[in-house]
Amino acid sequence: MNILVVGSGGREHAVAAKLAEGKARVAVAPGNPGMKDVAMILDIKETDHEGLIQAARELEADLVVIGPEAPLLNGLADDFKAAGFRVFGPDQKAAEIEGSKSFAKNIMEQYQIPTGSYYVTTSYDEAVQHVQNQGAPIVIKADGLAAGKGVTVAMTFEEAEEALADVLLDGKFGEAGAQVVIEEYLEGEELSLMALVHGETVVPLVGAQDHKRAYDADQGPNTGGMGAYSPVPQFTSADVDEAVERVLKPTAQAMVKEGRPFTGVLYAGLMMTTEGPKVIEFNARFGDPEAQVVLPRLTSDLAEVLSELVAGGEPQLEWSDDAVVGVVLAAEGYPASYQKGISVSHLQFSRQTSVYWAGVKTEEDDLVTAGGRVVLVAERAEDLKTAQQKVYDQLQEKTTTGLFYRTDIGDKAIKNASS
Ligand code: AMP
Ligand code: GLY
Protein backbone atom coordinates (compact mmCIF):
# COMPACT_ATOMS: atom_id res chain seq x y z
CA MET A 1 0.00 0.00 0.00
CA ASN A 2 1.29 3.49 -0.90
CA ILE A 3 0.43 6.37 1.39
CA LEU A 4 1.09 10.07 1.05
CA VAL A 5 1.16 12.03 4.31
CA VAL A 6 0.86 15.82 4.09
CA GLY A 7 2.53 17.94 6.77
CA SER A 8 5.93 18.59 8.27
CA GLY A 9 5.71 18.42 12.06
CA GLY A 10 6.26 15.93 14.84
CA ARG A 11 2.69 14.71 14.46
CA GLU A 12 3.30 13.79 10.82
CA HIS A 13 6.57 12.10 11.79
CA ALA A 14 4.65 9.96 14.30
CA VAL A 15 1.89 9.18 11.77
CA ALA A 16 4.44 8.26 9.08
CA ALA A 17 6.42 6.12 11.54
CA LYS A 18 3.33 4.17 12.60
CA LEU A 19 2.17 3.69 8.99
CA ALA A 20 5.66 2.51 7.99
CA GLU A 21 5.71 -0.11 10.79
CA GLY A 22 3.24 -2.12 8.75
CA LYS A 23 3.48 -2.93 5.08
CA ALA A 24 2.83 0.60 3.80
CA ARG A 25 5.32 2.58 1.76
CA VAL A 26 5.13 6.13 3.00
CA ALA A 27 5.98 9.48 1.45
CA VAL A 28 5.64 12.79 3.29
CA ALA A 29 5.26 16.24 1.76
CA PRO A 30 6.82 18.60 2.59
CA GLY A 31 8.04 16.63 5.62
CA ASN A 32 11.33 17.46 7.28
CA PRO A 33 14.77 15.83 7.04
CA GLY A 34 14.33 14.21 10.47
CA MET A 35 11.66 11.90 9.01
CA LYS A 36 13.78 10.23 6.38
CA ASP A 37 14.20 7.10 8.50
CA VAL A 38 10.54 6.23 7.94
CA ALA A 39 9.43 7.94 4.73
CA MET A 40 10.41 9.39 1.41
CA ILE A 41 10.50 13.18 1.72
CA LEU A 42 8.93 15.20 -1.10
CA ASP A 43 9.72 18.88 -1.40
CA ILE A 44 6.18 20.08 -2.14
CA LYS A 45 4.45 22.76 -0.11
CA GLU A 46 1.15 22.12 1.70
CA THR A 47 -0.38 24.97 -0.31
CA ASP A 48 0.60 23.48 -3.69
CA HIS A 49 -2.52 21.35 -4.19
CA GLU A 50 -1.74 20.59 -7.85
CA GLY A 51 1.82 19.56 -7.00
CA LEU A 52 0.62 17.28 -4.20
CA ILE A 53 -2.01 15.64 -6.41
CA GLN A 54 0.59 15.09 -9.12
CA ALA A 55 2.90 13.47 -6.54
CA ALA A 56 0.09 11.24 -5.30
CA ARG A 57 -0.51 10.11 -8.89
CA GLU A 58 3.15 9.29 -9.38
CA LEU A 59 3.22 7.38 -6.10
CA GLU A 60 -0.02 5.62 -7.05
CA ALA A 61 -1.16 6.52 -3.57
CA ASP A 62 -3.91 4.29 -2.17
CA LEU A 63 -4.53 6.74 0.63
CA VAL A 64 -3.69 10.36 1.44
CA VAL A 65 -3.43 11.39 5.10
CA ILE A 66 -3.54 15.12 5.79
CA GLY A 67 -1.95 16.11 9.11
CA PRO A 68 -2.35 19.84 9.85
CA GLU A 69 -5.45 22.02 10.04
CA ALA A 70 -4.40 24.73 7.58
CA PRO A 71 -4.47 22.58 4.41
CA LEU A 72 -7.73 20.95 5.57
CA LEU A 73 -9.33 24.37 5.90
CA ASN A 74 -7.89 25.28 2.50
CA GLY A 75 -9.82 22.43 0.93
CA LEU A 76 -6.93 20.07 0.25
CA ALA A 77 -9.04 17.00 1.09
CA ASP A 78 -11.76 18.23 -1.30
CA ASP A 79 -9.20 18.63 -4.09
CA PHE A 80 -7.67 15.18 -3.52
CA LYS A 81 -11.13 13.61 -3.51
CA ALA A 82 -12.09 15.41 -6.70
CA ALA A 83 -8.93 13.95 -8.24
CA GLY A 84 -10.10 10.45 -7.29
CA PHE A 85 -8.05 9.73 -4.17
CA ARG A 86 -9.10 8.20 -0.89
CA VAL A 87 -8.39 10.71 1.83
CA PHE A 88 -8.15 10.48 5.59
CA GLY A 89 -8.88 14.06 6.66
CA PRO A 90 -12.06 16.15 6.60
CA ASP A 91 -13.15 18.29 3.69
CA GLN A 92 -13.25 22.04 4.10
CA LYS A 93 -16.86 22.15 5.28
CA ALA A 94 -16.27 19.55 7.98
CA ALA A 95 -12.94 21.06 9.08
CA GLU A 96 -14.90 24.17 10.13
CA ILE A 97 -15.43 22.42 13.45
CA GLU A 98 -11.84 23.48 14.14
CA GLY A 99 -11.63 26.52 11.85
CA SER A 100 -14.41 28.46 13.53
CA LYS A 101 -14.91 28.29 17.27
CA SER A 102 -18.32 29.95 16.91
CA PHE A 103 -19.38 27.28 14.38
CA ALA A 104 -18.28 24.57 16.82
CA LYS A 105 -20.15 26.24 19.68
CA ASN A 106 -23.32 26.51 17.57
CA ILE A 107 -23.18 22.81 16.74
CA MET A 108 -22.72 21.96 20.41
CA GLU A 109 -25.62 24.14 21.43
CA GLN A 110 -27.92 22.79 18.75
CA TYR A 111 -27.13 19.13 19.47
CA GLN A 112 -26.80 19.42 23.26
CA ILE A 113 -23.15 18.46 23.36
CA PRO A 114 -21.81 19.53 26.77
CA THR A 115 -19.68 22.68 26.75
CA GLY A 116 -19.37 25.93 28.69
CA SER A 117 -21.71 28.83 28.00
CA TYR A 118 -20.47 31.37 25.49
CA TYR A 119 -21.04 34.66 23.73
CA VAL A 120 -19.87 35.69 20.26
CA THR A 121 -19.41 39.26 19.07
CA THR A 122 -17.41 41.50 16.73
CA SER A 123 -17.96 44.55 18.93
CA TYR A 124 -15.38 45.50 21.52
CA ASP A 125 -17.90 47.48 23.58
CA GLU A 126 -20.38 44.59 23.65
CA ALA A 127 -17.57 42.19 24.55
CA VAL A 128 -16.42 44.36 27.46
CA GLN A 129 -20.01 44.73 28.64
CA HIS A 130 -20.46 40.95 28.58
CA VAL A 131 -17.26 40.39 30.57
CA GLN A 132 -18.40 43.01 33.06
CA ASN A 133 -21.71 41.18 33.52
CA GLN A 134 -20.12 37.74 33.83
CA GLY A 135 -17.05 38.63 35.87
CA ALA A 136 -13.64 36.91 35.88
CA PRO A 137 -12.26 34.30 35.54
CA ILE A 138 -13.41 34.16 31.94
CA VAL A 139 -11.92 32.92 28.67
CA ILE A 140 -11.33 35.03 25.55
CA LYS A 141 -10.71 33.34 22.18
CA ALA A 142 -10.09 34.60 18.67
CA ASP A 143 -12.74 32.87 16.56
CA GLY A 144 -10.47 31.50 13.83
CA LEU A 145 -7.19 29.59 13.65
CA ALA A 146 -4.40 31.03 15.76
CA ALA A 147 -2.01 28.08 16.22
CA GLY A 148 -3.09 27.57 19.83
CA LYS A 149 -2.10 31.13 20.70
CA GLY A 150 -5.45 32.93 20.38
CA VAL A 151 -6.74 31.90 23.81
CA THR A 152 -6.52 33.92 27.01
CA VAL A 153 -7.70 32.45 30.28
CA ALA A 154 -8.27 35.77 32.05
CA MET A 155 -8.21 35.60 35.84
CA THR A 156 -9.09 39.30 36.19
CA PHE A 157 -11.34 41.78 34.39
CA GLU A 158 -8.28 43.78 33.30
CA GLU A 159 -6.67 40.75 31.67
CA ALA A 160 -9.89 40.02 29.82
CA GLU A 161 -10.16 43.61 28.65
CA GLU A 162 -6.59 43.53 27.37
CA ALA A 163 -7.21 40.27 25.50
CA LEU A 164 -10.36 41.71 23.92
CA ALA A 165 -8.41 44.77 22.79
CA ASP A 166 -5.70 42.54 21.27
CA VAL A 167 -8.27 40.60 19.25
CA LEU A 168 -10.89 43.20 18.33
CA LEU A 169 -9.09 46.58 18.37
CA ASP A 170 -5.47 45.79 17.52
CA GLY A 171 -6.12 42.96 15.06
CA LYS A 172 -3.40 40.83 16.63
CA PHE A 173 -4.86 37.68 15.03
CA GLY A 174 -5.84 39.25 11.69
CA GLU A 175 -8.83 37.61 10.03
CA ALA A 176 -8.96 34.93 12.76
CA GLY A 177 -9.82 37.67 15.23
CA ALA A 178 -12.68 39.32 13.33
CA GLN A 179 -14.96 37.81 15.97
CA VAL A 180 -14.29 36.92 19.54
CA VAL A 181 -15.74 34.01 21.48
CA ILE A 182 -16.10 34.68 25.20
CA GLU A 183 -16.43 31.48 27.21
CA GLU A 184 -17.37 30.40 30.65
CA TYR A 185 -14.27 29.41 32.62
CA LEU A 186 -14.29 25.66 33.23
CA GLU A 187 -12.45 23.97 36.05
CA GLY A 188 -11.16 20.45 36.15
CA GLU A 189 -8.59 18.09 34.66
CA GLU A 190 -8.02 18.20 30.91
CA LEU A 191 -8.16 15.24 28.57
CA SER A 192 -7.44 15.10 24.85
CA LEU A 193 -9.70 12.45 23.42
CA MET A 194 -9.41 11.65 19.73
CA ALA A 195 -11.36 9.29 17.50
CA LEU A 196 -11.00 8.03 13.96
CA VAL A 197 -14.24 9.10 12.34
CA HIS A 198 -15.94 8.38 9.04
CA GLY A 199 -19.51 9.65 8.89
CA GLU A 200 -21.25 8.14 11.89
CA THR A 201 -18.50 5.60 12.54
CA VAL A 202 -16.49 6.63 15.60
CA VAL A 203 -13.44 4.61 16.67
CA PRO A 204 -11.98 6.16 19.83
CA LEU A 205 -8.26 6.28 20.51
CA VAL A 206 -6.71 6.09 23.97
CA GLY A 207 -6.62 9.42 25.85
CA ALA A 208 -3.66 11.75 26.33
CA GLN A 209 -2.89 14.92 28.21
CA ASP A 210 -1.07 17.84 26.62
CA HIS A 211 0.93 20.57 28.41
CA LYS A 212 0.06 23.82 26.66
CA ARG A 213 1.95 26.33 28.78
CA ALA A 214 5.58 27.01 27.95
CA TYR A 215 7.11 26.49 31.40
CA ASP A 216 6.98 24.11 34.36
CA ALA A 217 3.94 24.14 36.66
CA ASP A 218 1.78 25.50 33.81
CA GLN A 219 3.44 28.90 33.87
CA GLY A 220 4.14 31.15 30.91
CA PRO A 221 2.35 31.64 27.61
CA ASN A 222 0.21 29.10 25.75
CA THR A 223 2.08 27.17 23.08
CA GLY A 224 1.23 24.52 20.51
CA GLY A 225 2.05 21.94 23.22
CA MET A 226 5.25 21.23 25.18
CA GLY A 227 4.78 17.54 25.89
CA ALA A 228 2.18 14.88 26.48
CA TYR A 229 1.57 11.50 28.01
CA SER A 230 -0.77 8.55 27.69
CA PRO A 231 -2.62 6.92 29.39
CA VAL A 232 -4.22 9.54 31.66
CA PRO A 233 -5.02 7.63 34.87
CA GLN A 234 -6.93 10.57 36.39
CA PHE A 235 -9.81 9.38 34.20
CA THR A 236 -11.53 6.05 34.59
CA SER A 237 -12.65 4.07 31.58
CA ALA A 238 -16.20 5.05 32.55
CA ASP A 239 -15.23 8.74 32.22
CA VAL A 240 -13.80 8.08 28.78
CA ASP A 241 -16.85 6.06 27.71
CA GLU A 242 -19.08 8.89 28.87
CA ALA A 243 -17.09 11.37 26.76
CA VAL A 244 -17.33 9.09 23.73
CA GLU A 245 -21.09 8.72 24.14
CA ARG A 246 -21.89 12.32 25.06
CA VAL A 247 -19.35 14.16 22.90
CA LEU A 248 -17.64 12.26 20.09
CA LYS A 249 -20.54 10.16 18.78
CA PRO A 250 -23.17 12.92 18.88
CA THR A 251 -20.74 15.33 17.22
CA ALA A 252 -20.03 12.93 14.36
CA GLN A 253 -23.80 12.42 13.99
CA ALA A 254 -24.41 16.17 14.11
CA MET A 255 -21.91 16.74 11.31
CA VAL A 256 -23.73 14.18 9.15
CA LYS A 257 -27.07 15.85 9.87
CA GLU A 258 -25.61 19.24 9.01
CA GLY A 259 -24.54 17.92 5.61
CA ARG A 260 -20.88 18.09 6.64
CA PRO A 261 -19.96 14.44 7.23
CA PHE A 262 -16.58 14.23 8.89
CA THR A 263 -13.76 11.90 7.89
CA GLY A 264 -10.50 12.01 9.81
CA VAL A 265 -9.46 12.52 13.39
CA LEU A 266 -12.05 14.26 15.51
CA TYR A 267 -10.20 15.63 18.51
CA ALA A 268 -12.11 16.77 21.58
CA GLY A 269 -10.24 18.88 24.11
CA LEU A 270 -12.25 18.10 27.24
CA MET A 271 -12.47 19.53 30.70
CA MET A 272 -13.63 16.91 33.18
CA THR A 273 -15.81 19.07 35.41
CA THR A 274 -17.90 18.02 38.41
CA GLU A 275 -20.83 17.95 35.96
CA GLY A 276 -19.03 15.55 33.62
CA PRO A 277 -16.97 16.14 30.48
CA LYS A 278 -17.33 19.50 28.72
CA VAL A 279 -15.78 20.45 25.40
CA ILE A 280 -13.09 23.15 25.41
CA GLU A 281 -12.33 22.84 21.72
CA PHE A 282 -12.59 20.57 18.72
CA ASN A 283 -9.77 19.92 16.30
CA ALA A 284 -10.14 18.28 12.92
CA ARG A 285 -6.87 16.32 13.05
CA PHE A 286 -4.49 14.45 15.33
CA GLY A 287 -3.26 16.55 18.25
CA ASP A 288 0.36 17.57 18.24
CA PRO A 289 2.01 16.42 20.55
CA GLU A 290 -0.79 13.97 21.50
CA ALA A 291 -0.28 11.85 18.36
CA GLN A 292 3.36 11.32 19.35
CA VAL A 293 2.34 9.60 22.62
CA VAL A 294 -0.89 7.91 21.49
CA LEU A 295 0.24 6.31 18.23
CA PRO A 296 3.24 4.48 19.75
CA ARG A 297 0.73 2.58 21.93
CA LEU A 298 -1.27 1.36 18.92
CA THR A 299 -0.39 -2.22 18.02
CA SER A 300 -2.78 -2.50 15.05
CA ASP A 301 -1.51 -1.74 11.54
CA LEU A 302 -2.50 1.94 11.10
CA ALA A 303 -2.48 1.76 7.30
CA GLU A 304 -4.95 -1.12 7.36
CA VAL A 305 -7.08 0.58 10.00
CA LEU A 306 -7.39 3.83 8.03
CA SER A 307 -8.04 2.04 4.74
CA GLU A 308 -10.77 -0.05 6.31
CA LEU A 309 -12.34 3.02 7.90
CA VAL A 310 -12.46 5.17 4.75
CA ALA A 311 -13.84 2.18 2.81
CA GLY A 312 -16.83 2.18 5.18
CA GLY A 313 -15.70 -0.48 7.67
CA GLU A 314 -15.39 -0.27 11.43
CA PRO A 315 -11.84 -1.28 12.39
CA GLN A 316 -11.04 -2.68 15.83
CA LEU A 317 -7.98 -1.18 17.49
CA GLU A 318 -5.49 -2.98 19.70
CA TRP A 319 -3.42 -1.10 22.24
CA SER A 320 -0.34 -1.75 24.31
CA ASP A 321 -0.74 -1.25 28.08
CA ASP A 322 2.56 0.59 28.12
CA ALA A 323 2.72 4.22 29.15
CA VAL A 324 4.39 6.83 26.95
CA VAL A 325 5.80 10.20 28.03
CA GLY A 326 6.93 12.67 25.37
CA VAL A 327 8.86 15.89 25.98
CA VAL A 328 9.19 18.70 23.42
CA LEU A 329 12.49 20.51 22.96
CA ALA A 330 11.73 24.03 21.76
CA ALA A 331 13.89 26.94 20.69
CA GLU A 332 14.57 29.39 23.52
CA GLY A 333 12.08 32.24 23.26
CA TYR A 334 9.27 30.13 21.72
CA PRO A 335 6.30 30.86 21.43
CA ALA A 336 7.47 34.47 20.94
CA SER A 337 10.47 35.17 18.70
CA TYR A 338 13.33 32.69 18.71
CA GLN A 339 16.55 31.95 16.91
CA LYS A 340 16.78 29.49 14.04
CA GLY A 341 19.75 27.57 12.69
CA ILE A 342 20.87 25.94 15.97
CA SER A 343 22.68 22.69 15.20
CA VAL A 344 20.83 19.65 16.59
CA SER A 345 22.54 16.78 14.80
CA HIS A 346 24.22 15.71 18.05
CA LEU A 347 20.79 14.84 19.49
CA GLN A 348 21.01 11.10 18.90
CA PHE A 349 19.06 8.67 21.06
CA SER A 350 18.98 4.96 21.67
CA ARG A 351 16.91 2.79 19.35
CA GLN A 352 14.21 2.28 21.99
CA THR A 353 13.60 6.01 22.23
CA SER A 354 11.02 7.52 19.87
CA VAL A 355 12.23 10.76 18.37
CA TYR A 356 9.81 12.85 16.35
CA TRP A 357 11.33 15.80 14.55
CA ALA A 358 9.39 18.98 13.82
CA GLY A 359 11.07 22.37 13.13
CA VAL A 360 14.33 21.22 11.51
CA LYS A 361 16.05 21.52 8.14
CA THR A 362 19.36 20.51 6.62
CA GLU A 363 22.03 23.14 6.16
CA GLU A 364 25.40 22.09 4.75
CA ASP A 365 24.89 18.48 5.85
CA ASP A 366 23.98 19.59 9.34
CA LEU A 367 20.52 19.22 10.95
CA VAL A 368 19.57 22.67 12.28
CA THR A 369 16.48 24.20 13.84
CA ALA A 370 13.95 25.89 11.56
CA GLY A 371 10.98 26.32 13.91
CA GLY A 372 9.86 26.81 17.50
CA ARG A 373 9.05 23.25 18.44
CA VAL A 374 12.09 21.30 17.32
CA VAL A 375 11.72 17.70 18.41
CA LEU A 376 9.72 15.48 20.76
CA VAL A 377 11.53 12.73 22.60
CA ALA A 378 9.34 9.91 23.94
CA GLU A 379 9.95 6.86 26.07
CA ARG A 380 7.65 3.99 26.85
CA ALA A 381 7.61 1.77 29.91
CA GLU A 382 5.23 -0.29 32.01
CA ASP A 383 4.13 2.81 33.90
CA LEU A 384 4.23 6.59 33.53
CA LYS A 385 6.75 7.11 36.29
CA THR A 386 9.30 4.83 34.67
CA ALA A 387 8.68 6.30 31.22
CA GLN A 388 9.13 9.81 32.63
CA GLN A 389 12.35 8.83 34.40
CA LYS A 390 13.70 7.30 31.20
CA VAL A 391 12.96 10.30 29.03
CA TYR A 392 14.49 12.82 31.43
CA ASP A 393 17.55 10.60 31.99
CA GLN A 394 18.09 10.65 28.24
CA LEU A 395 17.66 14.40 27.99
CA GLN A 396 19.96 15.19 30.89
CA GLU A 397 22.84 13.56 29.07
CA LYS A 398 22.44 15.88 26.07
CA THR A 399 23.66 19.35 25.36
CA THR A 400 20.59 21.47 24.69
CA THR A 401 22.09 24.93 24.28
CA GLY A 402 19.60 27.28 22.61
CA LEU A 403 16.72 24.93 23.43
CA PHE A 404 14.48 24.47 26.45
CA TYR A 405 12.05 21.87 27.71
CA ARG A 406 9.64 21.38 30.57
CA THR A 407 10.84 19.11 33.34
CA ASP A 408 7.38 18.15 34.64
CA ILE A 409 5.66 16.36 31.76
CA GLY A 410 3.44 13.70 33.32
CA ASP A 411 3.78 14.99 36.89
CA LYS A 412 0.05 15.49 37.36
CA ALA A 413 -0.67 11.84 36.67
CA ILE A 414 2.30 10.53 38.61
CA LYS A 415 1.68 12.69 41.69
CA ASN A 416 -1.97 11.64 41.57
CA ALA A 417 -1.03 7.99 41.56
CA SER A 418 1.36 8.26 44.49
CA SER A 419 -0.92 10.42 46.68
P1 AMP B 1 -7.63 25.85 23.35
O1 AMP B 1 -6.60 26.33 22.35
O2 AMP B 1 -9.02 26.26 23.05
O3 AMP B 1 -7.47 24.39 23.66
O4 AMP B 1 -7.23 26.55 24.72
C1 AMP B 1 -5.93 26.46 25.26
C2 AMP B 1 -5.99 26.15 26.72
O5 AMP B 1 -6.70 27.17 27.41
C3 AMP B 1 -6.75 24.87 27.05
O6 AMP B 1 -5.96 23.73 26.95
C4 AMP B 1 -7.19 25.14 28.48
O7 AMP B 1 -6.15 24.88 29.38
C5 AMP B 1 -7.47 26.61 28.47
N1 AMP B 1 -8.89 26.85 28.23
C6 AMP B 1 -9.50 27.02 27.04
N2 AMP B 1 -10.83 27.20 27.19
C7 AMP B 1 -11.07 27.15 28.52
C8 AMP B 1 -12.25 27.28 29.32
N3 AMP B 1 -13.45 27.53 28.79
N4 AMP B 1 -12.10 27.18 30.66
C9 AMP B 1 -10.90 26.98 31.22
N5 AMP B 1 -9.75 26.85 30.52
C10 AMP B 1 -9.82 26.94 29.19
N1 GLY C 1 -2.06 19.72 21.31
C1 GLY C 1 -3.16 20.51 20.97
C2 GLY C 1 -3.43 20.59 19.54
O1 GLY C 1 -2.92 19.82 18.75
O2 GLY C 1 -4.20 21.45 19.16
Side-chain angles (χ1 to χ4, degrees):
M1 196 185 315
N2 296 314
I3 303 185
L4 173 63
V5 177
V6 177
S8 63
R11 163 185 50 215
E12 287 75 29
H13 193 176
V15 169
K18 184 49 73 176
L19 290 169
E21 264 178 29
K23 288 184 285 285
R25 289 198 314 174
V26 186
V28 187
N32 72 59
M35 300 178 180
K36 63 177 190 291
D37 54 335
V38 294
M40 179 163 67
I41 310 301
L42 304 176
D43 184 17
I44 309 168
K45 290 200 177 75
E46 280 164 25
T47 47
D48 180 5
H49 294 199
E50 265 317 304
L52 290 168
I53 289 168
Q54 187 53 36
R57 285 203 183 102
E58 282 161 22
L59 292 163
E60 297 181 20
D62 302 288
L63 182 69
V64 178
V65 179
I66 303 172
E69 61 277 19
L72 293 167
L73 281 153
N74 277 332
L76 183 59
D78 309 62
D79 289 349
F80 265 116
K81 280 202 271 184
F85 289 95
R86 281 215 157 130
V87 184
F88 183 70
D91 57 20
Q92 195 171 28
K93 260 172 38 186
E96 275 298 293
I97 193 129
E98 169 163 8
S100 165
K101 292 186 194 296
S102 54
F103 170 79
K105 281 289 197 184
N106 285 333
I107 290 280
M108 287 186 266
E109 180 167 56
Q110 208 177 325
Y111 293 89
Q112 281 122 43
I113 293 154
T115 189
S117 63
Y118 69 104
Y119 179 80
V120 184
T121 182
T122 55
S123 150
Y124 175 75
D125 291 339
E126 276 178 32
V128 170
Q129 188 61 51
H130 179 79
V131 170
Q132 238 151 13
N133 296 342
Q134 298 294 312
I138 196 156
V139 182
I140 311 295
K141 299 184 177 182
D143 185 44
L145 285 189
K149 292 159 206 158
V151 175
T152 303
V153 179
M155 299 315 286
T156 63
F157 173 75
E158 288 70 29
E159 260 182 274
E161 205 177 21
E162 200 179 313
L164 290 172
D166 281 349
V167 180
L168 292 173
L169 299 182
D170 303 336
K172 198 169 155 191
F173 301 99
E175 279 275 295
Q179 294 197 103
V180 73
V181 178
I182 304 173
E183 274 181 25
E184 176 191 356
Y185 172 76
L186 300 172
E187 268 192 285
E189 274 273 343
E190 283 184 52
L191 177 70
S192 302
L193 189 61
M194 302 181 274
L196 310 177
V197 172
H198 182 58
E200 294 199 358
T201 306
V202 174
V203 182
L205 307 182
V206 293
Q209 193 173 63
D210 186 11
H211 297 62
K212 292 229 166 91
R213 300 295 191 112
Y215 315 128
D216 282 9
D218 292 334
Q219 299 296 305
N222 265 317
T223 69
M226 293 298 295
Y229 61 92
S230 176
V232 189
Q234 299 90 306
F235 303 101
T236 63
S237 60
D239 291 332
V240 173
D241 291 347
E242 186 186 355
V244 170
E245 295 304 322
R246 293 184 58 196
V247 174
L248 292 173
K249 287 186 181 171
T251 303
Q253 284 159 8
M255 294 300 277
V256 172
K257 289 200 189 104
E258 291 294 308
R260 301 173 188 248
F262 189 98
T263 296
V265 175
L266 181 63
Y267 165 130
L270 299 170
M271 192 72 88
M272 291 304 209
T273 72
T274 48
E275 295 165 20
K278 290 192 179 179
V279 176
I280 302 173
E281 64 162 349
F282 280 118
N283 292 322
R285 51 168 175 86
F286 280 113
D288 185 341
E290 288 91 333
Q292 293 94 307
V293 298
V294 165
L295 290 175
R297 298 185 58 209
L298 181 69
T299 53
S300 311
D301 183 328
L302 182 62
E304 279 174 14
V305 164
L306 298 184
S307 306
E308 187 182 338
L309 182 79
V310 298
E314 189 162 355
Q316 299 290 313
L317 304 185
E318 311 260 339
W319 298 95
S320 151
D321 287 333
D322 279 357
V324 178
V325 175
V327 178
V328 169
L329 273 61
E332 259 168 32
Y334 171 79
S337 63
Y338 51 83
Q339 202 193 330
K340 294 182 185 173
I342 304 159
S343 176
V344 286
S345 33
H346 64 284
L347 292 175
Q348 305 282 342
F349 296 89
S350 76
R351 279 178 64 85
Q352 287 75 33
T353 309
S354 303
V355 182
Y356 300 118
W357 292 99
V360 287
K361 63 174 183 182
T362 327
E363 210 170 70
E364 292 167 11
D365 289 337
D366 197 15
L367 193 66
V368 303
T369 65
R373 290 192 294 175
V374 175
V375 65
L376 177 142
V377 181
E379 284 282 0
R380 59 194 291 168
E382 62 282 7
D383 58 51
L384 285 166
K385 194 171 180 193
T386 315
Q388 187 198 46
Q389 188 73 49
K390 276 169 81 177
V391 73
Y392 284 120
D393 282 352
Q394 290 266 356
L395 289 175
Q396 261 160 17
E397 289 168 11
K398 308 290 179 206
T399 311
T400 52
T401 316
L403 306 175
F404 76 100
Y405 58 88
R406 279 182 63 158
T407 63
D408 63 346
I409 304 300
D411 270 6
K412 269 191 204 160
I414 293 159
K415 297 219 164 106
N416 237 47
S418 53
S419 66

